[in-house]
């Protein structure tokens, strides 16, 4: 049995019943990292000794009859943009290569409390600012299952590592698709929790500005639906450092799903339309009612999200881009600035005012239609680094990513499910739900998501 190809759920059960030790599972994962990571560059900070020490501690706890947690002994990865004690929170930046965290961020602390074994930290583009993963500090990450395509971003390292079996669950972050798009691009699953579901705080950076507080979140990427549920349960435990944290909610819901093949006029690839239609038919076969009602605005939410993001980035971010001098980040920041007006206090306040209206419209929509099936992107995953090839290419990417960019503006949760593949590309869909209804998304993942083998 190769423990590196098991899901987190299966591996945790085997470790708990002493069929395999946590140390054996960790050593197997470290050996797989030795073999596969040099070509992928998914994990850019290793911690073999710390991982083995943690694994031995799990084995000792089990031997004493203790419960070390639901992820006891399961190897996982953590993205380099959140604090992990003793490690550099680089966020893909040379100017942060010596920014060593003195304490764990809430997601890392929660993973440890759940018994997970952190085997490495995964790559991100500079400033976590792209749907592609390359930076001048750590280099570029490759897509393990679809060479030549982007592994996605900004959690491209997490998706690549998880798809390749370099950890059973990958921690990612998402403010505009950074969990959902890498999961889509690498042919796995990922969930972006809604506002307040997973606690966050980086002591190395201090409190985020309001847009980051409202829109950014951590979540799991995995090769099975059960692992998404397990990973989110671990990550979402309370932490008093985050005043936005809210407990999970669950309530009965009508089995009604809305289908949006071309939200707000999105030019959706026919293969993606077919994947969405097939998913709707599967739900119908399980007794769900499917409709195609009018939607609240996607495009307006995307434009306002970019306005809020760029306004905040003007407070020190532009200077940091200049100091870092990362070619990709400089290009992306310049092009993003074309999609939002120059930041003003009035514009910033109007954007927040509009957020209340849009959040209300979406809440009313989900009261009638508890879930919405949409594209993750209007396009199949892009060739690697397509976005920086020209301004026109960047504009094409932004337009295609509208279904990812818009939902975080309202704090909505979203789920990427891989549904298959063409001859050259993975296929997947996005499912959206109301704030606080991650349970509904996970129920649909249980129903729809196939287990995906690790890329060998």
């Amino acid at each position: 049995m190769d423990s590196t190809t098991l899901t987190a759920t299966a591996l945790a059960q085997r470790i708990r019943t002493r069929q395999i030790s946590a140390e054996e599972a960790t050593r197997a994962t470290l050996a797989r990292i030795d073999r596969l990571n040099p070509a992928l560059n998914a994990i850019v900070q290793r911690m073999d000794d710390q991982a083995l020490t943690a694994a031995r501690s799990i084995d000792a706890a089990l031997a004493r009859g203790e419960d070390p947690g639901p992820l006891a002994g399961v190897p996982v990865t953590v993205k380099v943009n959140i604090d992990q004690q003793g490690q550099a929170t680089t966020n893909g930046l040379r100017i942060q290569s010596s920014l060593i965290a003195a304490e764990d961020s809430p997601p890392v602390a929660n993973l440890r409390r759940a018994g997970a074994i952190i085997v490495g930290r995964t790559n991100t583009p500079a400033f976590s600012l792209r749907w592609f993963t390359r930076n001048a500090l750590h280099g570029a990450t490759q897509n393990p299952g679809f060479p030549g395509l982007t592994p996605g971003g900004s959690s491209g390292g997490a998706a690549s590592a998880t798809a390749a079996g370099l950890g059973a669950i990958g921690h990612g972050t998402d403010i505009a698709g950074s969990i959902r798009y890498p999961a889509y691009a690498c042919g796995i699953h990922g969930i972006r929790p809604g506002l307040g579901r997973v606690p966050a705080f980086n002591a190395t950076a201090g409190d985020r500005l309001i847009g980051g507080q409202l829109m950014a979140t951590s979540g799991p990427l995995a090769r099975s639906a059960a692992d998404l549920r397990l990973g989110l349960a671990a990550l979402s435990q309370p932490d008093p450092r985050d005043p936005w944290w809210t407990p999970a909610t669950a309530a009965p819901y009508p089995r009604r799903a809305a289908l949006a093949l071309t939200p707000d006029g999105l030019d959706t690839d026919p293969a993606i339309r077919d994947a969405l239609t097939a998913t709707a038919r599967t739900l119908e076969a399980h007794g769900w009612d499917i409709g195609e009602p009018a939607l609240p605005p996607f495009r307006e939410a995307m434009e306002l999200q970019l306005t809020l993001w760029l306004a905040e980035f003007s407070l020190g971010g532009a200077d940091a881009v200049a100091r870092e001098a990362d070619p990709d980040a400089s290009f992306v920041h310049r092009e993003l600035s074309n999609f939002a007006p120059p930041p003003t206090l009035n514009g910033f306040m109007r954007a927040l005012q509009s957020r209340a209206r849009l959040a209300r419209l979406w809440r009313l929509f989900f009261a009638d239609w508890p879930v919405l099936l949409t594209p993750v992107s209007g396009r199949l995953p892009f060739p690697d680094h397509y976005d920086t090839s020209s301004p026109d290419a960047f504009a094409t990417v932004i337009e295609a990513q509208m279904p990812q960019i818009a939902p975080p503006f309202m704090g909505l949760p979203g789920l990427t499910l891989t549904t298959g593949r063409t001859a050259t590309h993975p296929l997947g869909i996005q499912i959206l739900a109301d704030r606080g209804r991650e349970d509904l998304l996970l129920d649909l993942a249980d129903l729809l998501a196939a287990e995906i083998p690790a890329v060998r």
Side-chain angles (χ1 to χ4, degrees), residues 193-214:
L195 172 63
R197 189 68 187 89
V198 174
F201 176 64
N202 271 355
T204 56
D207 291 313
R208 300 190 72 161
L209 296 167
I210 188 63
Q213 292 181 39
L214 293 174

Side-chain angles (χ1 to χ4, degrees), residues 326-336 387-391 394:
D326 180 280
D328 294 333
S330 297
F331 179 91
V332 169
H333 180 251
R334 183 171 62 250
E335 293 304 314
L336 273 176
D387 62 332
T388 55
S389 62
S390 72
F394 188 84

Side-chain angles (χ1 to χ4, degrees), residues 236-449:
S236 61
Q237 294 304 303
D239 191 298
R241 290 173 290 177
D242 187 350
W244 285 105
W245 182 84
T246 53
T249 60
Y253 51 85
R255 290 191 293 177
R256 305 183 72 215
L259 174 64
L261 301 177
T262 59
D264 261 7
L266 183 73
D267 183 14
T268 306
D269 186 282
I272 299 168
R273 294 189 192 201
D274 290 347
L276 284 163
T277 301
T279 300
R281 288 174 179 162
T282 299
L283 288 178
E284 280 186 317
H286 284 86
W288 283 67
D289 294 328
I290 306 296
E292 297 187 52
L295 302 177
F298 267 88
R299 191 172 301 279
E300 181 187 3
M302 177 182 76
E303 291 169 352
L304 290 171
Q305 201 263 30
L306 293 175
T307 296
L308 199 59
W309 200 5
L310 268 289
E312 293 194 356
F313 213 75
S314 68
L315 296 179
D319 290 342
V321 169
R323 285 189 289 118
E324 179 64 20
D326 180 280
D328 294 333
S330 297
F331 179 91
V332 169
H333 180 251
R334 183 171 62 250
E335 293 304 314
L336 273 176
S337 299
N338 295 330
F339 287 86
T344 65
L345 177 60
N346 285 346
F348 186 82
M349 296 298 287
R350 290 297 184 189
L352 289 175
Q353 182 184 38
S354 295
R355 181 184 180 276
R357 171 177 51 83
L358 291 171
R360 184 182 307 110
L361 290 174
W362 279 101
R363 177 144 284 187
L364 290 167
F365 176 85
F366 286 123
D368 290 332
W369 299 93
V371 294
L372 172 63
L373 310 179
T374 77
V376 181
S377 170
R379 299 288 189 93
L380 297 173
F382 290 102
D384 212 3
H385 310 302
Y386 175 75
D387 62 332
T388 55
S389 62
S390 72
D392 286 346
F394 188 84
T396 297
V397 171
I398 284 286
E399 173 64 18
Q401 311 300 60
M402 180 174 61
Q404 299 164 51
I405 300 171
F409 186 67
M410 286 76 65
L412 300 177
L415 171 73
T416 285
L417 292 183
T418 289
T419 59
R421 61 181 296 164
T422 70
T424 55
H425 290 74
L427 281 172
I429 66 162
Q430 177 176 225
I431 307 178
L432 300 174
D434 198 6
R435 266 193 64 199
R437 296 316 307 257
E438 290 86 1
D439 64 309
L440 206 164
L441 296 179
L442 291 170
D443 287 350
L444 283 184
D446 289 339
L447 179 65
L448 297 168

Side-chain angles (χ1 to χ4, degrees), residues 124-149:
T124 188
F127 299 96
S128 295
L129 198 58
R130 297 172 70 203
W131 294 279
F132 304 75
T133 299
R134 178 173 65 188
N135 60 69
L137 175 62
H138 299 304
T141 294
Q142 305 302 314
N143 189 322
F146 302 89
L149 300 183

